[in-house]
Structures are given as structure tokens and as C-alpha cells.
Amino acid sequence: MSETSATSLPVTEPLPAPAPAKLVDVASLSMEALTRFVTEELGERAFRAPQVYRWLHQRGATSFDEMTDLSKALREKLRTRAEIIPLVKDLEQRSIDGTIKYRWKTRDGRFIESVYMPAEDRRTLCVSTQVGCAMACSFCMTGTMGLKRNLTASEIVAQVHAVNREVRKNEGHETLRPLSNLVFMGMGEPLHNFENLKTALAILQSQDGPNFSHRHITVSTVGLVPMIERFGKETDVKLAISLNASTDEQRSKTMPVNRKWNIAALLDACRTFPLRQGRRITFEYVLIKGFNDADEDAHRLIELLKGIPVKVNLIPYNENPGLGFHTTGEERAEEFRAILADGHVAAYIRRNRGRDIAGACGQLANRGETQPGAETQT
């Protein structure tokens, strides 16, 4: 080859290195999906999947090294192809009534809160499903944040695992699952993150996981009417409706969702909601002084709820600075409850827990915390 022809050869740049494979968030996988991953991606036998699943969702393992009944080779495969993304406890606040509010930091630097409420006959956790909330209810502190992003199924479930660990440590329980009840009433609108919620519920109810009974799980919604039907068909846990008004005018002022699906549409969805025998829909009614706590409101509420198996939780409003609403007094709340009872509506005044640590209904908001980015992610 001549010198001229040699120097005229095209110069080729080296090919870029391939991007590293994305690790699989195994704690967000259902048992079926985990089995496919273990057999098809890792080349292992199917019985390994329940072993991994039990480590994740019965014992709440936060690393593959904890999975001591798996071979070192399998644990190494898991480390190279998958990951467990735990929540990091950022803050713990204890109330004089025994309630504990936990603030968790996610891997991307977001903050969410969950609230542990112990009682003589139960240990309940209030779980968050989103960072912030898009519903913008004007009396709720979380609504002032806007929606930052949905939580993954593993981030929803991780709150339960983390608080189970905390309760075991603090109260000396030997059982892996000291929590008895779950209420999805924390930050976010659960039905706005339905697919991740549904996966999380399946994990939490699974026999190889925490094995919560459907009777001990309640999901609350502000009233996303089309999703209520899906929720009833695709899950079997209890439904709670955040109503908080007896007229569309009232509700639209404080809950923008009502402008899209009004009270009539919401109650129609409730009337067709599939209920197990003996079960009722819970209606949550936040009592706001001079706004929705008049005798006329109670009488209208009786008429609205006719034909629906219900119980009503009356919640004296938790005053949040700057929002301009005030709480109904105890005497007025009892008078409101008595009117409902006379109208054959089962109604209870719910004692708010954790007011002194801003852990009560409508108070979760991570005040004073700067969260990265203002964009909405779904």
C-alpha cells in the first residue's frame, strides 16, 4: 500500500461505551412479575422468587446481603441486575397523645410523611401516596404544595416496612408486622396514583408479604369519580370519601375536584360501588366553623346520603396558619352529630391525633423544607 493511500483512510472514532443497564426496583414488583424476573432475567428456578419476596415484604429487608438463605451467587446476580430503594428517616416527631409523625427522604431528595397512631386495640399507619397533591383543597396544607410526583409502589410499601421496624424497636414486639391497620389518608390523592396504589395494595395483602386483611385497609379519595368504579372492581379494600360539604357551592369553593364531578355524580358512583356484605362507605366531613357546620348542612347531608350504606366521620378542622379557616367547637360538633343520628345516619366525631406535631388530618406538608424542583411529575 502506498503512503498516499494509507494516509487517506478515514479516521474512525471509538464507539461509546454502552449505557449501564437500568436496575430493576424489585420491591415494586408483584409476585408474578418477580417470578418472571427471577426466571427469565436471572435464569433461576421459580421457587427463588417467593424467597426474595418474603425477604422484601415480610422481613422488610433493605439490602440483598440480608437474604442469608440465598446463595452468594444469586445475591450477586441480584446486586448487578436489581436494587432495593429504602426510605431514609429524616425526622421523627412525637405527640403527647402517642402519635408519631415520620418524615422520609426519597432517593431523589423529596420528602414525604406518614403518621403512626397507636391505640389499645390497634396500631394504625396513615400512608402517603404522592409527594404533594394536585387536588388543591383549600383547607389542606398538602394541597398548597402542588403535585411533585407520584410515589412508586415500593415507596408506598416502604413506609409500612419502615414503621413496622420502628414499632418493633420502640415497643419491643417480636412479630414482624406489629401494625394492624392501614389508612391511605396521608399526602396525595391515592386514586390519582392508582396503578402504583393497586400494586402496593396487592403486596401489602399478599400471604408472602405483610398479609394485611382487606378489612383493615381503607383508601380515601376526594372524589375522582371514574377511578372509584375501577377501585371497586380491581381492589377489595374499604373506601372513604372526603365530602366536607352539603352543597355544590360549598364544595366547589374548597375542593376544586367538585367542579368536574359534583356531589350528585360522586354519590351516584357511591351507590353503584360494590360493597361486601355488612360493609359501609365512610364519608369524611371536616367541620369548618361558619362554613359547613349549620343545622341546615346536617339536614341536607341526611338527604344526600339516603340509600347508601354509610358511616360519617365528623372531623373538627385542624387550623392551619394562613388558610383562613377555623375549627368547629366541641359543642357544635356534638349538636351536628346528634342531628345526623336523629336522621338515622351513623355518625362519629373523630378525635384528631397528633395536632401538636402537625400530624393530624390536613396538616401534612413538610413545612420549611425546600424540595428539589417545582415541576410536576406523574
Side-chain angles (χ1 to χ4, degrees), residues 210-273:
N211 198 22
F212 282 93
S213 166
H214 59 83
R215 297 186 302 272
H216 296 158
I217 301 176
T218 301
V219 173
S220 176
T221 177
V222 298
L224 303 188
V225 168
M227 299 309 301
I228 289 174
E229 181 179 3
R230 280 196 66 191
F231 175 76
K233 290 180 177 178
E234 299 178 30
T235 77
D236 62 355
V237 301
K238 294 191 288 187
L239 173 68
I241 301 290
S242 187
L243 185 59
N244 308 322
S246 66
T247 70
D248 282 322
E249 181 182 8
Q250 285 174 334
R251 199 165 191 265
S252 294
K253 284 180 180 177
T254 54
M255 303 180 70
V257 68
N258 196 72
R259 299 166 196 161
K260 187 165 188 179
W261 296 291
N262 64 13
I263 292 176
L266 175 58
L267 296 183
D268 283 346
C270 292
R271 287 188 176 90
T272 59
F273 186 80

Side-chain angles (χ1 to χ4, degrees), residues 34-336:
L34 181 61
T35 301
R36 289 195 299 272
F37 174 72
V38 166
T39 56
E40 297 173 11
E41 301 297 325
L42 301 186
E44 296 284 337
R45 295 173 66 184
F47 77 90
R48 294 298 185 190
Q51 288 181 292
V52 174
Y53 192 92
R54 286 191 290 268
W55 273 108
L56 291 170
H57 299 304
Q58 282 186 352
R59 299 178 178 90
T62 57
S63 74
F64 297 118
D65 291 333
E66 296 174 49
M67 302 179 181
T68 50
D69 61 349
L70 303 183
S71 68
K72 288 184 178 179
L74 176 52
R75 279 180 276 166
E76 183 58 31
K77 280 185 184 180
L78 286 166
R79 275 191 292 269
T80 59
R81 302 292 298 277
E83 61 182 340
I84 305 170
I85 310 172
L87 297 172
V88 176
K89 185 169 73 171
D90 179 72
L91 182 67
E92 175 184 319
Q93 292 179 288
R94 293 175 176 258
S95 168
I96 57 174
D97 65 16
T99 299
I100 304 175
K101 181 171 74 170
Y102 294 100
R103 185 169 69 204
W104 313 104
K105 189 174 184 179
T106 65
R107 188 166 66 175
D108 62 345
R110 308 281 181 177
F111 294 94
I112 59 171
E113 296 177 344
S114 32
V115 181
Y116 170 58
M117 297 169 286
E120 288 186 8
D121 61 339
R122 66 187 64 192
R123 296 179 183 87
T124 302
L125 183 66
C126 180
V127 182
S128 292
T129 54
Q130 295 178 311
V131 184
C133 184
M135 299 299 105
C137 298
S138 59
F139 52 81
C140 176
M141 288 302 296
T142 307
T144 66
M145 296 172 58
L147 177 63
K148 307 306 179 185
R149 70 168 175 86
N150 287 328
L151 295 182
T152 64
S154 66
E155 289 172 325
I156 295 171
V157 172
Q159 295 170 70
V160 179
H161 295 331
V163 176
N164 271 326
R165 287 194 298 271
E166 292 285 324
V167 175
R168 287 199 302 268
K169 178 183 69 175
N170 295 337
E171 301 180 19
H173 295 282
E174 294 185 3
T175 176
L176 289 172
R177 201 209 77 191
L179 290 173
S180 62
N181 293 66
L182 302 176
V183 292
F184 287 79
M185 301 178 184
M187 299 173 67
E189 162 55 50
L191 301 192
H192 194 208
N193 186 17
F194 182 72
E195 293 299 334
N196 289 337
L197 170 73
K198 187 172 74 167
T199 300
L201 289 173
I203 291 170
L204 292 166
Q205 293 179 264
S206 62
Q207 290 187 350
D208 287 309
N211 198 22
F212 282 93
S213 166
H214 59 83
R215 297 186 302 272
H216 296 158
I217 301 176
T218 301
V219 173
S220 176
T221 177
V222 298
L224 303 188
V225 168
M227 299 309 301
I228 289 174
E229 181 179 3
R230 280 196 66 191
F231 175 76
K233 290 180 177 178
E234 299 178 30
T235 77
D236 62 355
V237 301
K238 294 191 288 187
L239 173 68
I241 301 290
S242 187
L243 185 59
N244 308 322
S246 66
T247 70
D248 282 322
E249 181 182 8
Q250 285 174 334
R251 199 165 191 265
S252 294
K253 284 180 180 177
T254 54
M255 303 180 70
V257 68
N258 196 72
R259 299 166 196 161
K260 187 165 188 179
W261 296 291
N262 64 13
I263 292 176
L266 175 58
L267 296 183
D268 283 346
C270 292
R271 287 188 176 90
T272 59
F273 186 80
L275 287 171
R276 289 172 177 260
Q277 186 174 7
R279 188 174 286 185
R280 297 176 290 180
I281 296 174
T282 297
F283 281 83
E284 298 157 323
Y285 194 95
V286 175
L287 288 166
I288 300 173
K289 184 177 180 180
F291 178 73
N292 66 354
D293 63 348
D295 288 359
E296 292 80 5
D297 290 296
H299 290 297
R300 282 193 293 263
L301 199 54
I302 292 168
E303 293 302 314
L304 287 172
L305 299 181
K306 280 184 176 178
I308 307 174
V310 304
K311 71 172 183 177
V312 176
N313 280 339
L314 300 172
I315 308 167
Y317 178 64
N318 293 297
E319 295 189 8
N320 290 302
L323 297 190
F325 298 99
H326 302 284
T327 188
T328 295
E330 292 182 9
E331 183 177 348
R332 173 83 286 245
E334 175 54 34
E335 291 169 349
F336 197 97

